[in-house]
Amino acid sequence: MSTTVLWFRRDLRLADHPALLAALAAADEVVPLFVLDPALLGPAVAPRTAFLFGCLDHLAARTDGALVLRSGDPVVEVPRLAAEVGAEAVHVTADFGPYGHRRDEAVAAALADQGASLVREGTPYVTAPGSVTTGSGTSFKVFTPYFKAWERVPVDAPAPAPERPRWVTGVTGVDLPPAPDLAGSRILEPGEEAATRRLDRFVDEALERYGEDRDSPAAEGTSRLSVDLKYGTVHPRQLLARAGRGPGGDRFRFELAWRDFYATILFEQPETARHPLRTEMDAIEVDEGPAADERFRAWAEGRTGYPIVDAGMRQLLGEAYVHNRVRMIVASFLVKDLHLDWRRGARHFMRHLQDGDLASNNHGWQWVAGTGTDAAPYFRVFNPVTQGKRFDPEGAYIRRWVPELAGLEGAAVHEPWKAGGGEQGQLFAGYPPPIVDHAVERAEALRRYEVLRAT
Ligand SMILES: Cc1cc2nc3c(=O)[nH]c(=O)nc-3n(C[C@H](O)[C@H](O)[C@H](O)COP(=O)(O)OP(=O)(O)OC[C@H]3O[C@@H](n4cnc5c(N)ncnc54)[C@H](O)[C@@H]3O)c2cc1C
């Protein structure tokens, strides 16, 4: 009997899993493995860890209890398990993140030392980072031409889950630690079946109007599949197959391409995990010190006095999620109204988001801050009041997350300082006055960019 290992990482599903199919084709039986890696678990917060543990529980059940958990450095643990079960190969879905890529190189070298190999099959993306190139073979720096080339790449139809995978049972491992305390934060249900239900709901109820509703934070207009894409409880190929062609499907495809694009940028320029893509932007003046720290805290705790910003930041703490439009508004506010370094905001997001993903988060922030892939960032300073009025006209999203303002009717919810004829700065039902004047700070943000441009 030949035995091989399937090492699960960000691919916690059985359907449409090329590495699983490759493992089953290569050997008589498969040991399913997950390594609890302190380097990844350490920085993750409760919502992400709880989701991951829930996915592992599901996977253990789906593999008839065969899933082996090991805890420690994968460079030690993976070769050790392979030697224990006599496997000559360990199958994985390729990882393109800076840490995962380095880790896999080290695991491959350690396996080679004992005469075994790491076999990469499939990726977490529609197209593997680095595979979509210009006619002359170079990479794209701007999204629109990337998207045109991305659309031309043929995509395989998703493969069903194998009918009777031959799992090896009884290999010893560690127990899953208890799920962390969520401290009142609500998270999405983990696991492949829950992901399928989310996809069904989206296709049945929201896809057709996705183009119109995706910008309304009060609507259930988006898929909420970002966390499933992060942990691979669904593959984007499965989403494309279900979304099909049509106005909603086309727009959804466009958004999924952003995910591939950002993963590509990070893969090709891993230093952009910490530094601006446009390196000259590193010199922009940012505020630091106790006053800046207090502004950061007001932002993080949802008490800036700008209702749409506060609603978004409270959604982050309450649901470990923020609607995409609101992510842009709160990020713009941190960078261009509070003049804080985008990395502070990106770190806060990574700490709290259930779908926290280095590539999408980092480059989402860089796009808003004007340090990344967007070609015309100077002029776009989001006005938090007009953004709120435009995308949450009835104020339903604001009222959900900022209950102090629930009593305000209509558009008054966007400018509570005007309620009751008061001056700007007046408290409304315990809700704070704005911590800054947007018009003043917008001018200041543009001034700082101009200084940079002139140097
Ligand atoms: C400042 C900022 C930070 C962000 N941080 C993250 C993050 O950590 N993790 C993350 O998955 N997304 C991030 N995004 C992108 C986007 O906000 C989320 O993917 C989206 O809100 C998730 O909700 P959904 O699954 O319902 O999206 P849907 O609208 O249903 O979109 C479907 C999928 O397309 C992808 N997608 C959609 N919009 C984007 C985008 N702008 N960039 C990249 N991929 C996109 C996501 O995988 C998403 O799940 C960030 C955006 C900004 C502006």
Side-chain angles (χ1 to χ4, degrees):
M1 283 284 247
S2 59
T3 302
T4 194
V5 174
L6 175 66
W7 174 22
F8 284 101
R9 294 98 64 85
R10 290 181 58 176
D11 48 0
L12 305 178
R13 66 179 186 283
L14 298 187
D16 194 26
H17 197 310
L20 169 59
L21 297 178
L24 289 168
D28 297 320
E29 48 181 23
V30 178
V31 180
L33 166 72
F34 188 89
V35 181
L36 299 162
D37 178 354
L40 292 178
L41 285 175
V45 282
R48 265 212 302 286
T49 307
F51 191 87
L52 170 65
F53 286 5
C55 290
L56 293 175
D57 259 342
H58 281 261
L59 202 55
R62 300 269 324 264
T63 54
D64 308 325
L67 183 69
V68 180
L69 293 179
R70 292 283 167 99
S71 178
D73 181 355
V75 181
V76 176
E77 297 301 327
V78 175
R80 179 182 289 162
L81 179 83
E84 270 171 43
V85 301
E88 286 173 6
V90 172
H91 293 263
V92 292
T93 304
D95 192 326
F96 295 85
Y99 172 78
H101 191 66
R102 267 197 320 274
R103 174 203 58 205
D104 286 357
E105 293 292 296
V107 171
L111 284 169
D113 286 345
Q114 63 191 46
S117 57
L118 187 73
V119 182
R120 298 171 175 93
E121 189 76 47
T123 84
Y125 303 99
V126 178
T127 55
S131 67
V132 178
T133 54
T134 63
S136 52
T138 58
S139 53
F140 290 100
K141 304 284 176 242
V142 178
F143 178 72
T144 307
Y146 170 86
F147 178 64
K148 286 198 183 118
W150 181 90
E151 277 243 286
R152 287 196 293 271
V153 176
V155 179
D156 292 339
E163 271 184 18
R164 264 186 297 279
R166 300 170 303 277
W167 305 117
V168 179
T169 51
V171 179
T172 51
V174 299
D175 288 337
L176 194 59
D181 180 8
L182 287 172
S185 184
R186 290 191 300 265
I187 63 159
L188 295 180
E189 195 189 335
E192 185 174 5
E193 284 157 13
T196 307
R197 282 196 292 278
R198 277 190 279 282
L199 176 56
D200 290 343
R201 196 267 334 154
F202 175 65
V203 172
D204 294 345
E205 296 171 21
L207 177 64
E208 203 177 319
R209 289 192 46 81
Y210 179 71
E212 295 83 43
D213 287 351
R214 60 178 290 278
D215 261 328
S216 307
E220 300 280 320
T222 67
S223 71
R224 294 297 301 261
L225 286 162
S226 48
V227 66
D228 298 299
L229 289 164
K230 175 180 168 62
Y231 288 105
T233 44
V234 74
H235 192 277
R237 201 172 26 234
Q238 296 170 284
L239 306 191
L240 289 183
R242 291 289 302 279
R245 291 288 182 174
D250 286 348
R251 184 63 211 224
F252 193 62
R253 176 183 305 273
F254 183 81
E255 298 304 328
L256 284 172
W258 274 106
R259 179 172 176 269
D260 280 20
F261 180 60
Y262 284 154
T264 300
I265 301 270
L266 185 64
F267 174 62
E268 289 175 348
Q269 287 161 275
E271 70 281 3
T272 61
R274 290 200 170 71
H275 302 288
L277 182 74
R278 297 173 55 196
T279 47
E280 73 277 11
M281 295 295 294
D282 225 359
I284 195 148
E285 183 189 341
V286 292
D287 287 357
E288 286 168 349
D293 292 346
E294 177 43 38
R295 285 179 170 186
F296 178 80
R297 275 195 295 278
W299 175 82
E301 291 165 12
R303 46 180 183 82
T304 66
Y306 283 97
I308 191 82
V309 174
D310 294 340
M313 297 311 296
R314 294 184 195 187
Q315 184 181 24
L316 177 61
L317 299 181
E319 268 185 355
Y321 175 84
V322 185
H323 184 276
N324 179 59
R325 167 59 50 182
V326 185
R327 290 188 204 206
M328 292 195 279
I329 297 170
V330 302
S332 177
F333 191 82
L334 182 96
V335 175
K336 295 178 182 169
D337 285 80
L338 302 184
H339 316 297
L340 301 178
D341 192 320
W342 61 270
R343 282 165 278 216
R344 286 185 85 166
R347 273 198 301 276
H348 183 75
F349 263 35
M350 272 312 269
R351 217 167 282 144
H352 291 278
L353 280 173
Q354 199 182 347
D355 64 22
D357 170 86
L358 190 61
S360 292
N361 185 54
N362 209 287
H363 283 288
W365 272 91
Q366 295 219 36
W367 190 87
V368 175
T371 68
T373 53
D374 190 16
Y378 284 43
F379 320 99
R380 197 190 41 239
V381 179
F382 283 170
N383 179 325
V385 175
T386 50
Q387 287 281 314
K389 286 181 176 168
R390 181 162 166 213
F391 294 108
D392 187 29
E394 308 301 325
Y397 175 77
I398 290 175
R399 285 191 191 84
R400 192 180 307 155
W401 290 105
V402 188
E404 303 97 293
L405 302 179
L408 281 179
E409 284 182 14
V413 79
H414 299 289
E415 294 166 289
W417 53 85
K418 288 189 177 166
E423 295 291 311
Q424 177 157 345
Q426 180 185 325
L427 292 178
F428 183 84
Y431 185 68
I435 56 170
V436 292
D437 179 333
H438 172 70
V440 172
E441 304 309 336
R442 175 179 187 279
E444 174 60 13
L446 294 177
R447 185 195 68 75
R448 293 185 190 202
Y449 281 127
E450 282 310 319
V451 169
L452 189 71
R453 231 157 48 131
T455 52

